[in-house]
């Protein structure tokens, strides 16, 4: 029987963790653990008190967190969740359902009908425009129909992750996974999600630096061809 794993990604998210820990549907998965990038604000202690296994990253970065999680997980279906307030824990079972239905990857989209992006209320939603632009380019080049290629709130099968073999650093790993899924012809499903406002602290993804990294990986994947 296929098992599922919930991976909780943290790095100094004590406020979000306190607000969301009781809303996480641990019963929906067979195992769960935390991958932490070096928190010093009590985040590790909070999740440990809740019975969580804590994996400390030997190297920083979201890309390393994804790869470590896949290496350590017992499940063949993995859901990645960040308790920062942007991601809705109630979507975890929905992402898992898509994997059960045969999808190789499942993404919580902020741009499908019925979804909401954190910046929807802003007059100039720069981050949302950039996300849509990167997704448009990925779809155009590799023949996809994704609405959100960048959101890190997603699930993936172990087999698909190994086939994609993502080596990107930082927040670019999700974009690279989406591109490589399209290149490999994998089955990717999306669910609409309501992106909440961040709870405490500042985003670890700095827009300009992250955007430039996305561009670098976009051109890199283009240079490597279709396969």
């Amino acid at each position: 029987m296929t098992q599922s794993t919930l991976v909780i990604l943290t790095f100094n998210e004590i406020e979000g963790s306190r607000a969301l820990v009781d809303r996480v549907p641990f019963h929906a998965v067979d195992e769960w653990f935390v991958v932490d990038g070096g928190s010093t604000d009590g985040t590790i202690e909070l999740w440990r008190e809740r019975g969580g296994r804590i994996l400390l990253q030997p190297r920083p970065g979201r890309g390393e967190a994804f790869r470590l999680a896949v290496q350590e997980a017992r499940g063949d279906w993995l859901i990645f969740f960040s308790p920062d307030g942007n991601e809705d824990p109630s979507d975890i079972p929905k992402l898992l359902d898509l994997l059960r239905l045969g999808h190789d990857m499942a993404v919580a989209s902020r741009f499908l009908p019925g979804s909401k992006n954190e910046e929807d209320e802003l007059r100039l939603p720069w981050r949302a425009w950039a996300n849509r632009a990167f997704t448009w380019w990925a779809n155009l080049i590799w023949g996809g129909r994704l609405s959100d290629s960048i959101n890190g709130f997603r699930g993936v099968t172990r087999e698909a992750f190994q086939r994609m073999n993502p080596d990107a650093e930082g927040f670019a790993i999700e974009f690279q996974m989406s591109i490589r899924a399209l290149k490999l012809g994998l089955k990717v499903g999306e669910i609409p999600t309501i992106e909440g406002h961040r709870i405490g602290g500042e985003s670890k993804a700095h827009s300009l630096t992250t955007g430039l990294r996305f561009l670098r990986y976009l051109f890199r994947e283009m240079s490597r061809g279709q396969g």
Side-chain angles (χ1 to χ4, degrees):
M1 181 177 179
T2 304
Q3 290 191 320
S4 57
T5 298
L6 172 63
V7 181
I8 299 175
L9 304 169
T10 60
F11 178 45
N12 288 332
E13 295 291 356
I14 186 62
E15 294 180 47
S17 295
R18 283 174 178 157
L20 297 173
V21 63
D22 290 327
R23 294 177 51 200
V24 177
F26 298 110
H27 63 277
V29 295
D30 297 299
E31 72 159 348
W32 67 278
F33 56 75
V34 174
V35 177
D36 187 84
S39 295
T40 58
D41 64 349
T43 297
I44 293 173
E45 290 75 15
L46 183 150
W47 289 102
R48 185 173 285 139
E49 289 173 1
R50 292 300 180 115
R53 178 162 64 109
I54 311 296
L55 300 180
L56 299 178
Q57 296 177 223
R59 291 189 294 174
R62 194 169 174 91
E64 286 300 310
F66 269 64
R67 288 184 284 271
L68 177 61
V70 174
Q71 175 184 318
E72 295 292 332
R74 294 195 300 268
D76 291 313
W77 297 331
L78 293 92
I79 305 295
F80 295 89
F81 170 73
S82 299
D84 57 7
N86 289 149
E87 301 175 4
D88 184 352
S90 67
D91 285 334
I92 291 171
K94 300 174 186 177
L95 292 171
L96 193 55
D97 284 343
L98 285 183
L99 299 182
R100 288 196 180 100
L101 289 172
H103 290 81
D104 299 297
M105 190 162 68
V107 180
S109 171
R110 299 159 294 180
F111 304 113
L112 283 173
S115 64
K116 182 179 179 181
N117 181 272
E118 183 186 21
E119 292 189 331
D120 282 348
E121 299 170 0
L122 299 181
R123 182 179 179 184
L124 298 173
W126 298 109
R127 183 170 62 91
W129 288 345
N131 288 346
R132 287 178 180 271
F134 281 117
T135 298
W136 184 84
W137 276 109
N139 285 332
L140 178 67
I141 296 168
W142 291 287
R145 300 184 64 181
L146 298 178
S147 65
D148 192 343
S149 65
I150 291 174
N151 198 9
F153 190 16
R154 62 179 60 199
V156 67
T157 68
R158 176 187 299 278
E159 179 183 2
F161 190 90
Q162 291 171 341
R163 288 185 63 191
M164 289 185 282
N165 192 28
D167 59 356
E169 300 298 329
F171 287 86
I173 189 169
E174 294 100 343
F175 187 44
Q176 186 188 48
M177 287 171 65
S178 296
I179 290 174
R180 291 193 174 181
L182 295 180
K183 293 170 78 170
L184 290 167
L186 300 182
K187 187 176 182 181
V188 182
E190 295 179 301
I191 62 166
T193 191
I194 304 298
E195 184 179 43
H197 292 289
R198 182 174 177 80
I199 302 173
E202 296 182 359
S203 173
K204 312 302 187 300
H206 301 289
S207 297
L208 180 58
T209 303
T210 301
L212 292 174
R213 184 175 289 139
F214 284 169
L215 277 175
R216 180 163 66 90
Y217 280 104
L218 176 66
F219 292 136
R220 182 181 171 203
E221 293 297 327
M222 290 172 60
S223 70
R224 291 186 173 185
Q226 293 296 319

